[in-house]
Amino acid sequence: MAESELKFESESELETAPESLPASGKEIAIEAIDLSFKYPDGTVVLDRINLKIYKGDFTIIAGLNGSGKSTFALHLNGLLKPTSGKLLVDGLDTRKRRNSAAVHKKVGIVFQNPYTQFVGNSVEEDVAFGPENMGVARDEIKKRVSDALSAVHLMNLSAQDPSSLSGGEAQAAAIAGILAMETDCVVFDEITSMLDHKATERVLNIMEELKNQKKTVIYISHEPKDVLKADRIIVLDQGKVTFDGKTDEYVRSDKYPLPDLIGLMKLLKDDGYDVSELVSSPEEVAEEIKKLLESKK
């Protein structure tokens, strides 16, 4: 599905966003309370957002360019402060300067262009930069760097200049830098938009591994590449939450952009074929079509 074909409905056509999902006993990682942000010229980017994101969940925040999703991401570790309302990280108010260091230790952000984040002469040095700034002991830094590079499968490139890495390798190195800081929450801001299919799959697999490790994962994307990996999807439009629900509700709503494979299966289902649109790989598509053909014999 080409990016030019992606289209979110206008705000008036979108579903009314329900209240934040029930916690089901989970602790709150992030809470926005009447969160608003506007530029000095008066342009409103976020408009009274109220939501909770729970610890250990994988949440996608989607929306077109200009919807406010990346601005929201920058609030998650205090890089931006609300114009009004508040953003709480593990109960800490990001507006208060005394909370800044603690918030940065809890939430790490991986940005779209990893090359702008590199500061070391080697991958290993760059990954060590964050924990060094946090005052972590040298032996502990060495262990964290090794663990982080192993987690993203970059140990063989530890001595390489970060600027020489491929796009997928560079994103993996940036992720390793966040992992070495051992933040509870990792935010991925539009990081797959510049990657090919293979590199995208690599990054999505890292996200899933982080979820399996009980990390809170937040994936900011105008075109979610694999919605089925997520527990929940939140859609922003013109600074407002216009959808907040489970991934199957998102897929079946007929209102939002879908990954190509899911879109294909939805077309078949809409044409009356008995297939599941909740697929996440070519193998699953092949299996659904195989079952369909066998049922026609």
Side-chain angles (χ1 to χ4, degrees), residues 30-97:
I30 306 288
E31 182 173 11
I33 303 172
D34 288 331
L35 171 64
S36 296
F37 180 81
K38 63 182 178 181
Y39 290 117
D41 66 1
T43 302
V44 176
V45 186
L46 300 175
D47 188 4
R48 292 168 297 174
I49 290 178
N50 288 280
L51 59 83
K52 298 180 180 74
I53 295 174
Y54 301 104
K55 292 184 179 181
D57 277 2
F58 183 170
T59 301
I60 290 176
I61 298 178
L64 291 176
N65 291 336
S67 63
K69 61 188 185 302
S70 287
T71 299
F72 180 72
L74 294 175
H75 279 77
L76 295 176
N77 76 342
L79 290 175
L80 287 179
K81 312 293 185 188
T83 305
S84 63
K86 63 177 71 173
L87 193 288
L88 306 179
V89 174
D90 205 10
L92 298 172
D93 189 336
T94 61
R95 298 172 303 173
K96 297 180 179 178
R97 183 171 296 181

Side-chain angles (χ1 to χ4, degrees), residues 262-289:
I262 294 178
L264 170 63
M265 299 309 285
K266 265 191 73 66
L267 287 174
L268 290 173
K269 194 171 185 68
D270 291 345
D271 283 344
Y273 293 101
D274 185 17
V275 296
S276 171
E277 69 269 46
L278 301 179
V279 295
S280 59
S281 69
E283 291 76 18
E284 290 180 9
V285 171
E287 185 61 30
E288 286 294 316
I289 293 176

Side-chain angles (χ1 to χ4, degrees), residues 1-292:
M1 186 182 295
E3 181 174 335
S4 60
E5 296 172 343
L6 295 177
K7 179 178 159 184
F8 283 86
E9 306 297 323
S10 67
E11 183 181 336
S12 61
E13 295 173 312
L14 286 167
E15 301 173 18
T16 301
E19 293 183 5
S20 296
L21 298 177
S24 302
K26 294 182 179 179
E27 294 181 69
I28 298 170
I30 306 288
E31 182 173 11
I33 303 172
D34 288 331
L35 171 64
S36 296
F37 180 81
K38 63 182 178 181
Y39 290 117
D41 66 1
T43 302
V44 176
V45 186
L46 300 175
D47 188 4
R48 292 168 297 174
I49 290 178
N50 288 280
L51 59 83
K52 298 180 180 74
I53 295 174
Y54 301 104
K55 292 184 179 181
D57 277 2
F58 183 170
T59 301
I60 290 176
I61 298 178
L64 291 176
N65 291 336
S67 63
K69 61 188 185 302
S70 287
T71 299
F72 180 72
L74 294 175
H75 279 77
L76 295 176
N77 76 342
L79 290 175
L80 287 179
K81 312 293 185 188
T83 305
S84 63
K86 63 177 71 173
L87 193 288
L88 306 179
V89 174
D90 205 10
L92 298 172
D93 189 336
T94 61
R95 298 172 303 173
K96 297 180 179 178
R97 183 171 296 181
R98 67 174 181 270
N99 292 334
S100 294
V103 167
H104 291 158
K105 289 179 181 179
K106 290 178 179 293
V107 180
I109 301 181
V110 184
F111 294 99
Q112 182 180 40
N113 186 350
Y115 299 102
T116 62
Q117 295 177 251
F118 295 139
V119 294
N121 294 319
S122 70
V123 171
E124 186 175 35
E125 283 184 14
D126 196 81
V127 174
F129 180 79
E132 283 175 350
N133 275 357
M134 294 164 61
V136 176
R138 185 178 298 275
D139 288 346
E140 176 64 15
I141 291 174
K142 186 174 181 180
K143 179 182 182 302
R144 288 193 188 189
V145 170
S146 177
D147 290 346
L149 290 176
S150 295
V152 299
H153 312 292
L154 282 186
M155 279 299 291
N156 61 321
L157 299 178
S158 62
Q160 195 158 320
D161 183 341
S163 65
S164 69
L165 299 176
S166 69
E169 291 167 346
Q171 283 292 11
I175 293 169
I178 298 299
L179 296 183
M181 295 171 65
E182 295 192 347
T183 59
D184 298 324
C185 175
V186 184
V187 180
F188 299 87
D189 187 15
E190 297 278 11
I191 68 168
T192 60
S193 61
M194 298 171 63
L195 302 181
D196 61 24
H197 176 73
K198 184 176 180 180
T200 295
E201 283 301 309
R202 178 180 188 175
V203 171
L204 288 170
N205 287 337
I206 291 172
M207 289 187 199
E208 193 166 27
E209 289 172 12
L210 291 174
K211 171 180 165 54
N212 292 337
Q213 295 168 19
K214 310 300 182 186
K215 297 281 188 182
T216 304
V217 178
I218 301 174
Y219 173 26
I220 312 291
S221 178
H222 76 280
E223 180 191 358
K225 295 293 195 300
D226 194 344
V227 299
L228 298 183
K229 291 186 187 294
D231 298 299
R232 171 186 177 194
I233 297 184
I234 297 167
V235 177
L236 294 183
D237 183 54
Q238 298 180 27
K240 295 178 180 291
V241 176
T242 53
F243 178 89
D244 184 347
K246 295 180 180 178
T247 54
D248 59 340
E249 296 168 347
Y250 174 93
V251 168
R252 290 169 175 148
S253 68
D254 290 323
K255 291 181 181 289
Y256 308 106
L258 295 171
D260 291 348
L261 294 179
I262 294 178
L264 170 63
M265 299 309 285
K266 265 191 73 66
L267 287 174
L268 290 173
K269 194 171 185 68
D270 291 345
D271 283 344
Y273 293 101
D274 185 17
V275 296
S276 171
E277 69 269 46
L278 301 179
V279 295
S280 59
S281 69
E283 291 76 18
E284 290 180 9
V285 171
E287 185 61 30
E288 286 294 316
I289 293 176
K290 179 182 176 182
K291 287 191 293 186
L292 179 63

